[in-house]
Structure formats: structure tokens, C-alpha cells
Amino acid sequence: KAGVTQTPRYLIKTRGQQVTLSCSPISGHRSVSWYQQTPGQGLQFLFEYFSETQRNKGNFPGRFSGRQFSNSRSEMNVSTLELGDSALYLCASSSPPSGTVGKFSEQFFGPGTRLTVL
Amino acid sequence: AQSVSQHNHHVILSEAASLELGCNYSYGGTVNLFWYVQYPGQHLQLLLKYFSGDPLVKGIKGFEAEFIKSKFSFNLRKPSVQWSDTAEYFCAVNPYSGNTPLVFGKGTRLSVIA
């Protein structure tokens, strides 16, 4: 089974620009979660999509948005980039959504997209 | 809001030393617990997980973790570390309350020296 794939792997943008990151989950997985990873802050939850619906949203400004398509692929968009948005953006997929009562399926992570904002 | 605390930011050990990384969480209800590892330049991958049952959980590469409900802790252990265990380790908690995401600790960087 192919793993979670993320494109592009590296991006360099300048302040004020916008960026779109893409994530393809493991085949059959319907839940996709996005995280921002920065040194010292660990992984901070951005949002989760399940069956094209946003189930959860983390504490990030409205400049961060996402969506999920009918084939479970997901995109996240960051508008009006700031220097502080430089980070590794990770996507994870799982079969059921997070917090499923009785059992939580492991989240499988992609390699991430390294975003640098200059 | 739920939170996860990892007490050590950076741990340096010699090969063959024993390892224990602390993890405490703040949620009072039933939880799923995880330890993930991120080797240099690699994907985040699952080391072990706890859903229910035996509170001593064994994972890959000789790692184990013990869930102590009364202490809200899920510490990671390995009796004898190797140079190849050099990585960043993340504890994560997911409450059983339905619509809640996975919450990660800030990570512990482990450096194993020969």
C-alpha cells in the first residue's frame, strides 16, 4: 500500500504571497489531518477533514484554510504569508475520524512540505 | 483544553544506557495514547499505542510504555538504547469524547552517543 504523499516537498515563498499544499491519503482512508511542526512547538493541529467535511479546526488564524475532495485528497491553503508561517506542514491520514468511540485508528504521516517564507 | 507535557526537551545518553521519557496529559476521561518517533530526515512513525487493557504496551524496536491512569502518565522506556535510536520522540493523546483531534506534546530530542 502506498503511503501518504505530500506535494510539493519544499517551497520558498515571500511575505504576502499565498500557497497551496496537497496531500494524498492512503487508499481507503477518509480522514485527513494537517499539522504545523516548528522547532520547540512540536506539532500543532491545524484541521481535520472527514468525508469532505471539516470536523475540527485548531487555533490558527483564518489565513489557514483547507478542503477535502471526494477522493479524500486534501489541500491546505495559507494566504498572506508571514515569516512565522515557515514550518514543516504534515498531513496524516486514518481510516475512521479521530476520537472514534471505542477505537482510534493510527494516523499515518506523510513526509511533509517544508515551507520557507522570506 | 487538553494538553500533553513532555518533561525533557533534549536527552543525551550513551549507548546501552536505559531510557525513560516522561509524558503527562491533562484530560480526565478515557484516552487513546501514542508515542511517535521522527528519525532525522524521515516521516513521523508510530512506536506504540494504547487503547485499553494491559497498561504495559510493547512497541517496535524494543520500546515499551506504561499507562498509569492515576498519574495521567504514559512514559516511554527502553532498557538499552542504540545509536540508531537518535531521533525526536512525540507523545500524543486523543480523548474518547468524539469530535476531538490528536494532541501532541512538544517532543523530546534523544541523542545517543557511542
Side-chain angles (χ1 to χ4, degrees):
Chain A
K1 229 181 198 180
V4 178
T5 57
Q6 293 187 244
T7 56
R9 293 293 309 278
Y10 301 92
L11 266 179
I12 299 175
K13 293 283 187 179
T14 55
R15 278 182 298 175
Q17 288 187 305
Q18 76 163 17
V19 67
T20 299
L21 313 181
S22 181
C23 170
S24 293
I26 290 171
S27 178
H29 285 189
R30 293 164 61 195
S31 173
V32 173
S33 297
W34 288 89
Y35 298 86
Q36 182 194 67
Q37 185 179 11
T38 53
Q41 291 299 313
L43 282 81
Q44 294 184 282
F45 173 75
L46 279 157
F47 22 68
E48 179 195 4
Y49 287 88
F50 181 78
S51 295
E52 302 178 66
T53 302
Q54 188 180 84
R55 292 187 78 244
N56 283 301
K57 190 176 191 309
N59 191 24
F60 278 82
R63 300 185 295 108
F64 291 81
S65 63
R67 59 178 175 168
Q68 187 180 33
F69 303 95
S70 58
N71 62 358
S72 295
R73 191 177 69 85
S74 177
E75 288 182 347
M76 67 163 281
N77 185 74
V78 188
S79 62
T80 320
L81 283 166
E82 300 177 359
L83 295 178
D85 297 334
S86 294
L88 181 67
Y89 289 88
L90 294 171
C91 166
S93 78
S94 62
S95 183
S98 62
T100 300
V101 175
K103 193 174 179 78
F104 175 83
S105 182
E106 172 189 350
Q107 287 197 351
F108 293 83
F109 283 82
T113 294
R114 173 77 61 188
L115 172 64
T116 302
V117 182
L118 303 175
Chain B
Q2 297 85 22
S3 66
V4 179
S5 299
Q6 291 185 241
H7 315 300
N8 309 101
H9 178 63
H10 187 193
V11 173
I12 302 173
L13 293 173
S14 299
E15 278 194 315
S18 64
L19 169 73
E20 181 159 3
L21 301 182
C23 172
N24 287 88
Y25 61 94
S26 64
Y27 187 72
T30 304
V31 294
N32 298 300
L33 298 159
F34 306 84
W35 276 97
Y36 282 85
V37 60
Q38 191 173 36
Y39 297 103
Q42 293 190 28
H43 300 194
L44 206 65
Q45 59 184 283
L46 186 71
L47 264 182
L48 45 79
K49 57 191 176 186
Y50 173 80
F51 294 140
S52 62
D54 188 344
L56 186 60
V57 180
K58 294 194 185 299
I60 61 172
K61 304 187 180 185
F63 286 90
E64 64 178 32
E66 185 175 12
F67 170 49
I68 302 179
K69 189 174 181 179
S70 60
K71 294 185 179 180
F72 300 93
S73 71
F74 191 55
N75 292 354
L76 181 71
R77 299 195 293 246
K78 186 171 184 179
S80 176
V81 296
Q82 302 171 317
W83 179 81
S84 58
D85 294 324
T86 295
E88 188 146 21
Y89 293 81
F90 294 91
C91 180
V93 176
N94 185 241
Y96 265 33
S97 61
N99 200 25
T100 49
L102 196 59
V103 178
F104 282 84
K106 293 189 176 181
T108 296
R109 185 156 64 99
L110 172 65
S111 299
V112 180
I113 55 178

